[in-house]
Amino acid sequence: MNKVFITSTGSFLPNEPVGNEEMEHYLGKINNVQSRTKDIFLRKNGIKNRHYALDTHQNTTHKAYEMAALAVKDCIERSHLDAAKVEMLSAATTQSDLPVPGFASMVHAESGISRCGLASHQSVCAAGMMAIQNAYLQVKSETVRNAVCCAAELPSRMFKSKRFEGQQAFAVEGATLPLETDFLRWMLSDGAGAMLLQDDPGDALALEIEWIDLKSYAHAYEVCMYTGTNKENDGSVLKTWLDYDTISEANFAGALNLKQDMQQVDNIVKLGIQRFFELIDEGRFQPEDIDRLVCHYSSHHFKPQIVELLKNGGIEIPAEKWFSNLYTVGNIGSASIFVMLDELMKSGTLKAGQKILCMVPESGRFITGYMMLTVREGAVSGASGYTEVIAEIKAPEIRVQEKPVQEWLVRQLTGVWFDFERGLQQVPVVKKIFKGTLTLEEYKRLLVNLRQQVIDGSQWIARAASNVSMEYFPVRSAFIRHSSDEHRDYQILEKNYINCGGLEEEILTGIKNIGSEALSAFMFHRASQPNPFDLLGGMFIIEGLGNRVSGKWGRAIQQQLQLDKDQVSFFIYHESSDSNDNHFERFEQAIQSELLTQQMAEKIVKTAKVVARLYTMQLEELDNF
């Protein structure tokens, strides 16, 4: 069976942090009266800041599945894996945005992940551990080689004051929230987190999952944290929210309020520590071996109880080994363990060989969750020192002769360029180049994918030249000279690939990905038309890449992969050749001719837009043949 590693983490916390004094600006006042219990509960839980997916008008700014998808994207962008290669998605939440379909389906649709396996988990805090365990077992059993797991919570919308208007309990003037709901109002926060699990740790920091342990105690305890009902005095559930004649009646009765049974909640600490001792007795770990205890206690109120019970069992974990971000981001329920590990992974404090014990209790109907991790650290490429500025976007410079149509064309093409380069920056492989996470194998695949379209470059230009009538000889000559220059490009690319250890046969027999197919087909189609001057728009985009972008890519790849110049010269060569070989001068001469009417200028702009989109697609669809 495979070993399983957390190779990347991500998180998403909505909007700006909300301090204690601001909470009622977002959640609102009950019956327009400031809460008398807020300060008491905040002193107990110790939380100073949290995040809400609400604005101050109590409008939802992000749905739970949207936050989960954003955390997933953050996780994948920090990894070496393309979203298209994710094999499974395991998602968790306490309460989904929609009763149907499953939460994982909604996250999947927003995540950018292609077809994959799927699992939805619904509980309270332990739901996140369930999602991790499902993904872990899938990878461990070799069912898949990788899986993304995530969790998101959006409890703030359940506690906004407007939710309680019209309920029976507030028909009396001056009525306040019951403690079982008010307690939670000042504790819970919004946010999402994600992890990528793989069967290979890669070449950077990773956490090996040694084991996961989940135990339910629902057989022994009545429901403690819940919504959708009002418990009877004996703790039983007779009528759920779906059993009312209408949803309005369920709301009027307060059945839709999220509640916590205050008389039972302390059981979770006792059960959690009981299972802690059992795991020691079962030989799963020794307390002295723990380097970090990542403990999801939902309120600071519970930490002293945990410490005291551990001491009673002869165990003391030094304060410096505890890790929690409860005080700065709040209690995010099932997403808390994800967000904590994401922060810990990015802290720079972890060292190879360290043991991390994760503890996640749940009070829904009482569940204990534990996970043991070991820090693994590979050979980091050293690319973190790369300082190329990707955010600096400059359009290729075009000289004009103060003619109105030329000036209009240049303005339009400049706008097209800005949109094009901004779009490129969101393509996964480009992000990896500039984050220093591109692997040598990924670089080789990039060369293979590009070569199949690059080799067509001189051919479509030559075809375009053959379709230019003799009356436009200067433009025809410019096309022919440009075609001659393009012949050397794919030969340089092939040599780079071979110098990186690739097989000549593989790159010579490669096929176009679906983006390359679309780009080549469009270029040949336009080149086959009579006098295809609109292809100047395509030349603007492609030559602009060489003039403004390819050098950045080449230097970034060379530095992070520690390559020689003859392994990246295809990219670096274009930066100088597309400037020095007068490629843009030819373009400028073409648009300065009398051929440039307003109608032709509009066609050039449209072709530039199409080529920009198809070139981006070529990079988005790597290896999608």
Side-chain angles (χ1 to χ4, degrees):
M1 300 181 77
N2 285 332
K3 291 187 175 182
V4 183
F5 304 88
I6 301 171
T7 58
S8 182
T9 58
S11 59
F12 178 78
L13 300 174
N15 304 317
E16 295 298 314
V18 176
N20 291 348
E21 68 283 354
E22 302 174 285
M23 294 178 73
E24 283 186 304
H25 294 314
Y26 290 85
L27 300 180
K29 299 175 182 178
I30 304 300
N31 280 331
N32 208 31
V33 176
Q34 189 169 344
S35 172
R36 295 190 293 270
T37 59
K38 180 185 77 168
D39 291 342
I40 297 172
F41 288 130
L42 287 172
R43 281 197 299 271
K44 286 181 176 291
N45 65 43
I47 300 170
K48 303 300 182 184
N49 288 291
R50 75 282 296 144
H51 290 259
Y52 289 145
L54 293 178
D55 61 23
T56 54
H57 300 290
Q58 300 186 13
N59 298 312
T60 302
T61 60
H62 303 80
K63 299 180 183 67
Y65 63 80
E66 290 173 337
M67 292 193 291
L70 289 167
V72 167
K73 290 178 180 179
D74 182 48
C75 174
I76 294 174
E77 287 169 5
R78 296 175 184 277
S79 77
H80 295 302
L81 189 71
D82 289 335
K85 301 295 179 63
V86 173
E87 297 181 37
M88 184 197 176
L89 175 65
S90 180
T93 189
T94 297
Q95 187 163 3
S96 182
D97 306 275
L98 304 175
V100 178
F103 183 63
S105 294
M106 299 302 295
V107 176
H108 181 208
E110 299 284 328
S111 66
I113 294 173
S114 299
R115 186 178 67 172
C116 65
L118 207 64
S120 292
H121 299 272
Q122 186 272 320
S123 193
V124 191
C125 299
M129 287 289 282
M130 294 174 189
I132 298 170
Q133 185 183 58
N134 192 321
Y136 163 72
L137 293 174
Q138 294 272 352
V139 177
K140 189 171 184 63
S141 65
E142 303 180 19
T143 304
V144 298
R145 294 198 60 188
N146 67 71
V148 169
C149 48
C150 63
E153 301 287 14
L154 211 173
S156 64
R157 59 188 171 188
M158 299 190 71
F159 294 113
K160 57 188 183 182
S161 58
K162 293 178 182 178
R163 283 289 307 274
F164 305 106
E165 294 174 0
Q167 291 188 3
Q168 184 178 19
F170 298 99
V172 179
E173 186 177 350
T176 59
L177 283 176
L179 287 181
E180 59 185 6
T181 294
D182 198 29
F183 162 69
L184 296 172
R185 196 172 192 237
W186 313 114
M187 182 190 297
L188 301 180
S189 308
D190 302 341
M195 300 174 186
L196 171 61
L197 275 54
Q198 294 182 277
D199 60 2
D200 187 325
D203 58 1
L205 183 72
L207 304 177
E208 181 178 350
I209 302 178
E210 303 289 351
W211 49 262
I212 298 176
D213 180 87
L214 278 165
K215 291 289 183 287
S216 169
Y217 301 84
H219 67 294
Y221 294 89
E222 65 185 64
V223 66
C224 177
M225 186 173 178
Y226 59 98
T227 186
T229 191
N230 290 310
K231 287 201 304 183
E232 302 300 312
N233 291 334
D234 63 358
S236 62
V237 174
L238 298 181
K239 193 174 185 179
T240 76
W241 65 287
L242 290 173
D243 299 318
Y244 288 85
D245 292 336
T246 66
I247 300 299
S248 297
E249 289 181 38
N251 181 61
F252 182 72
L256 300 183
N257 296 348
L258 185 62
K259 313 171 184 73
Q260 181 134 51
D261 189 328
M262 303 288 286
Q263 295 181 344
Q264 288 200 83
V265 68
D266 284 352
N267 286 322
I268 191 55
V269 176
K270 300 171 187 176
L271 290 170
I273 299 306
Q274 177 186 334
R275 186 58 189 154
F276 186 96
F277 291 145
E278 289 174 353
L279 290 168
I280 295 173
D281 293 339
E282 292 170 10
R284 306 295 286 275
F285 70 93
Q286 293 301 316
E288 60 270 20
D289 294 335
I290 299 173
D291 296 290
R292 288 282 192 169
L293 177 61
V294 179
C295 184
H296 168 56
Y297 45 89
S298 59
S299 168
H300 182 77
H301 168 76
F302 296 118
K303 185 177 180 181
Q305 297 179 40
I306 297 171
V307 172
E308 184 64 26
L309 287 174
L310 287 174
K311 283 184 179 179
N312 291 342
I315 295 172
E316 185 169 359
I317 299 177
E320 64 270 16
K321 292 187 176 183
W322 289 70
F323 183 86
S324 174
N325 54 14
L326 171 73
Y327 312 100
T328 55
V329 302
N331 174 7
I332 321 176
S334 65
S336 289
I337 188 63
F338 291 88
V339 176
M340 282 194 289
L341 286 174
D342 182 49
E343 185 172 323
L344 186 59
M345 283 276 280
K346 296 169 183 173
S347 67
T349 62
L350 296 179
K351 298 178 181 179
Q354 288 183 325
K355 296 286 186 181
I356 303 172
L357 180 65
C358 301
M359 176 180 177
V360 180
E362 177 190 303
S363 62
R365 195 151 184 171
F366 299 108
I367 298 173
T368 60
Y370 285 90
M371 176 168 62
M372 180 63 77
L373 308 172
T374 301
V375 181
R376 306 295 186 200
E377 191 169 14
V380 181
S381 66
S384 58
Y386 183 67
T387 57
E388 188 76 48
V389 181
I390 188 173
E392 184 181 20
I393 300 175
K394 293 183 179 180
E397 297 176 4
I398 306 172
R399 290 170 292 184
V400 296
Q401 296 180 341
E402 297 183 357
K403 296 178 181 179
V405 176
Q406 287 179 351
E407 292 174 344
W408 179 88
L409 176 60
V410 170
R411 289 195 301 271
Q412 296 301 309
L413 288 178
T414 300
V416 172
W417 178 266
F418 287 152
D419 290 341
F420 171 51
E421 196 171 343
R422 277 194 293 264
L424 280 182
Q425 292 179 4
Q426 301 307 311
V427 175
V429 70
V430 177
K431 284 189 174 184
K432 289 183 178 183
I433 290 172
F434 285 92
K435 287 185 177 181
T437 60
L438 191 76
T439 66
L440 179 61
E441 188 59 32
E442 288 170 332
Y443 172 52
K444 288 161 63 179
R445 298 313 303 164
L446 175 62
L447 291 176
V448 170
N449 278 257
L450 286 176
R451 186 264 183 190
Q452 313 315 323
Q453 179 270 320
V454 169
I455 199 170
D456 286 349
S458 62
Q459 298 178 39
W460 67 256
I461 298 172
R463 181 177 295 187
S466 70
N467 284 295
V468 175
S469 59
M470 289 303 296
E471 60 185 302
Y472 304 123
F473 185 80
V475 178
R476 182 177 184 176
S477 297
F479 273 117
I480 292 172
R481 290 197 303 274
H482 196 71
S483 174
S484 176
D485 292 338
E486 294 297 313
H487 271 296
R488 78 188 81 170
D489 289 0
Y490 72 86
Q491 296 170 342
I492 297 172
L493 189 155
E494 290 167 0
K495 289 178 181 178
N496 286 172
Y497 180 77
I498 294 168
N499 290 338
C500 286
L503 298 176
E504 183 178 15
E505 180 183 359
E506 182 179 17
I507 195 164
L508 293 181
T509 59
I511 58 176
K512 298 184 182 76
N513 68 40
I514 63 174
S516 298
E517 289 279 13
L519 178 57
S520 286
F522 176 78
M523 298 304 264
F524 277 115
H525 168 70
R526 295 308 310 156
S528 301
Q529 308 306 309
N531 294 322
F533 301 131
D534 62 299
L535 278 176
L536 291 169
M539 292 170 63
F540 169 80
I541 293 296
I542 294 172
E543 301 310 324
L545 273 169
N547 182 258
R548 292 291 184 186
V549 176
S550 68
K552 290 182 179 182
W553 291 8
R555 288 189 296 276
I557 293 167
Q558 182 179 13
Q559 182 170 342
Q560 65 192 261
L561 297 180
Q562 300 177 2
L563 300 178
D564 294 329
K565 289 183 178 179
D566 63 359
Q567 294 172 300
V568 295
S569 54
F570 169 74
F571 291 108
I572 295 177
Y573 150 80
H574 274 82
E575 185 174 50
S576 58
S577 71
D578 288 359
S579 298
N580 298 336
D581 292 352
N582 299 319
H583 288 196
F584 256 84
E585 184 176 329
R586 295 172 194 159
F587 176 83
E588 291 164 350
Q589 289 174 351
I591 69 167
Q592 287 166 4
S593 74
E594 297 303 322
L595 296 174
L596 188 68
T597 64
Q598 181 65 34
Q599 184 180 22
M600 180 54 64
E602 291 171 359
K603 290 181 179 180
I604 290 172
V605 172
K606 180 180 179 181
T607 297
K609 289 180 179 179
V610 174
V611 171
R613 180 66 191 98
L614 294 180
Y615 200 99
T616 303
M617 183 190 297
Q618 175 180 229
L619 296 174
E620 291 170 340
E621 299 292 343
L622 295 187
D623 293 338
N624 186 359
F625 305 127

